[in-house]
Amino acid sequence: MKVLVTGGLGYIGSHTVVELYNNGDEVIIIDNLSNSKEEVLDKLETIVGKKIKFYKGDLCDKELVRNIFKENKIDSVIHFAGFKCVPESVQLPLKYYRNNLDTTITLLEVMDEFNVRKIVFSSSATVYGTPEILPLTENCVVGGTTNPYGTTKYFIERIMEDLYISNNNWDITLLRYFNPVGAHKSGLIGENPNGIPNNLMPYVFKVASGELECLNITGNDYDTVDGTGVRDYIHVVDLAYGHVLALKNNKHDEVKIYNLGTGKGTSVLEIVNMFEKVNNITINKRFAPRRIGDIATCYADTKKAKEELGFETKYTLEDMCRDGYNYVLKNK
Ligand code: NAD
Ligand code: UD1
């Protein structure tokens, strides 16, 4: 299958490109490098041992997207391109609505024009807002989002559902990711955000490597095993493989929605302890106030993805802690 991967030089996109090649698929990437570097392309080519066709440009540029579809016989699309920083989305909501919605609408319009109607979209567990029940199933209520980033994911899900209602020939899969961590075992690709990270594990990696001084554990009075927040951490390579399975799945009678997580909740203290043990490092840490808008606990019900996609995670929390930090050390 020839797959267009939007945002394919980013964290999850790049790992998915590797899994697609492992599956025998061919990939075309579009990325404007707003949150990635062109050198990721060389690293991907090293890993997969092949030249990868790359278009450097903005997915909102309709003429460019049309050219991509004219020049390549694309079978399906995996759509990662978008902005993802929650606090920035609160400061700059229009930047998020413009980019996340425009990229998606432009892409869908051009796909329709070229009769390519198979798409997998990167949604997020954030669409569930504050969980009413745990584990979260795909039938849980969505839309109670607490920031513009999350709302763009919710809106895009709705847009895609409306599109399917208008034309049942669309083959749409929405993947709701839980918390991706880790990196490819080669250490060539991974996640190493510029500046001060918002997410827990990138922050831990920077404390471990000496770039940041101390981890603030944001909240130790939640109703959880040890008072710290509980999340469903999933190795990015497992998450990436979920996209390969989603593309293979030919169920066609509705918009397909799957949680991609492990089904296991891990507290901040548990994952930090695991990081320290696996990498033999002590993390300088202190308790700090809760982050505004944070929830106590969030983890996935993974039954539907297992039954319908055959999705099962292989990697452990240890792998996530080791592989993520291995990438950071190799790319310091
Ligand atoms: P990322 O920022 O590493 O990757 C996104 C890529 O898209 C970047 O390479 C960026 O340069 C590119 N991009 C952004 N706007 C573009 C545009 N207009 N045109 C072309 N390229 C553009 O993010 P990621 O962590 O790999 O996330 C991928 C997707 O998964 C995003 O849509 C994100 O919202 C979603 N998601 C991520 C997480 C997470 O924790 N990382 C969780 C849930 C959902
Ligand atoms: C964040 C995003 C969410 C996104 C998800 C996956 C917010 C409010 N939400 O959620 O939209 O879908 O990532 O990318 O940003 N923590 C610390 N210290 C830190 C950072 C985090 O203790 O410096 C704690 C948090 O309180 C939380 C846990 O670590 O309990 C995980 O935090 P984080 O990695 O930011 O993920 P989410 O909160 O799940």
Side-chain angles (χ1 to χ4, degrees), residues 73-127:
K73 173 112 197 40
I74 291 165
D75 299 300
S76 55
V77 177
I78 306 182
H79 178 34
F80 294 102
F83 295 147
K84 63 165 183 177
C85 177
V86 172
E88 188 187 44
S89 80
V90 176
Q91 296 301 316
L92 301 170
L94 297 182
K95 176 177 169 179
Y96 275 69
Y97 287 116
R98 171 63 73 194
N99 193 47
N100 292 5
L101 297 182
D102 252 15
T103 48
T104 306
I105 293 169
T106 305
L107 175 66
L108 293 171
E109 283 176 344
V110 176
M111 286 178 70
D112 203 35
E113 217 175 292
F114 285 82
N115 295 313
V116 178
R117 297 197 182 83
K118 189 173 177 71
I119 185 164
V120 174
F121 172 63
S122 300
S123 190
S124 167
T126 195
V127 298

Side-chain angles (χ1 to χ4, degrees), residues 234-249:
I234 175 170
H235 197 293
V236 67
V237 173
D238 278 331
L239 182 71
Y241 186 60
H243 295 74
V244 174
L245 295 176
L247 276 188
K248 278 189 191 162
N249 181 24

Side-chain angles (χ1 to χ4, degrees), residues 20 223 262:
L20 288 166
D223 183 15
T262 64

Side-chain angles (χ1 to χ4, degrees), residues 63-214:
E63 274 321 299
L64 170 66
V65 182
R66 279 201 178 107
N67 280 339
I68 297 176
F69 279 82
K70 265 185 212 144
E71 287 171 14
N72 305 279
K73 173 112 197 40
I74 291 165
D75 299 300
S76 55
V77 177
I78 306 182
H79 178 34
F80 294 102
F83 295 147
K84 63 165 183 177
C85 177
V86 172
E88 188 187 44
S89 80
V90 176
Q91 296 301 316
L92 301 170
L94 297 182
K95 176 177 169 179
Y96 275 69
Y97 287 116
R98 171 63 73 194
N99 193 47
N100 292 5
L101 297 182
D102 252 15
T103 48
T104 306
I105 293 169
T106 305
L107 175 66
L108 293 171
E109 283 176 344
V110 176
M111 286 178 70
D112 203 35
E113 217 175 292
F114 285 82
N115 295 313
V116 178
R117 297 197 182 83
K118 189 173 177 71
I119 185 164
V120 174
F121 172 63
S122 300
S123 190
S124 167
T126 195
V127 298
Y128 294 118
T130 304
E132 284 177 351
I133 54 154
L134 286 164
L136 283 157
T137 73
E138 290 83 350
N139 290 328
C140 284
V141 175
V142 294
T145 49
T146 52
N147 56 73
Y149 162 72
T151 308
T152 66
K153 293 291 171 193
Y154 171 63
F155 284 171
I156 294 168
E157 288 200 357
R158 290 297 305 270
I159 289 169
M160 293 198 175
E161 278 161 355
D162 285 341
L163 189 60
Y164 179 78
I165 291 168
S166 77
N167 179 351
N168 289 336
N169 288 322
W170 277 93
D171 181 347
I172 297 171
T173 307
L174 310 175
L175 297 179
R176 293 180 181 155
Y177 310 156
F178 282 68
N179 292 58
V181 184
H184 189 259
K185 62 178 173 343
S186 64
L188 290 171
I189 54 172
E191 187 185 31
N192 196 3
N194 290 328
I196 299 177
N198 302 296
N199 294 119
L200 175 66
M201 290 317 281
Y203 203 108
V204 169
F205 299 154
K206 291 207 176 199
V207 174
S209 67
E211 281 175 75
L212 292 171
E213 213 178 287
C214 182

Side-chain angles (χ1 to χ4, degrees), residues 253-319:
D253 50 359
E254 59 183 1
V255 172
K256 293 156 283 181
I257 304 177
Y258 300 104
N259 287 337
L260 292 185
T262 64
K264 282 190 229 88
T266 304
S267 76
V268 176
L269 283 177
E270 285 169 340
I271 196 167
V272 172
N273 288 343
M274 178 61 81
F275 177 89
E276 292 181 324
K277 191 175 129 205
V278 169
N279 295 296
N280 201 18
I281 292 176
T282 302
I283 294 291
N284 190 16
K285 50 190 172 301
R286 65 182 163 226
F287 291 121
R290 292 181 179 195
R291 242 177 10 184
I292 295 165
D294 253 3
I295 51 178
T297 303
C298 171
Y299 55 94
D301 186 317
T302 56
K303 195 161 160 250
K304 190 176 174 204
K306 185 174 177 191
E307 283 179 3
E308 293 184 14
L309 298 179
F311 178 72
E312 279 182 286
T313 53
K314 297 200 295 222
Y315 294 98
T316 62
L317 204 60
E318 283 176 77
D319 298 324

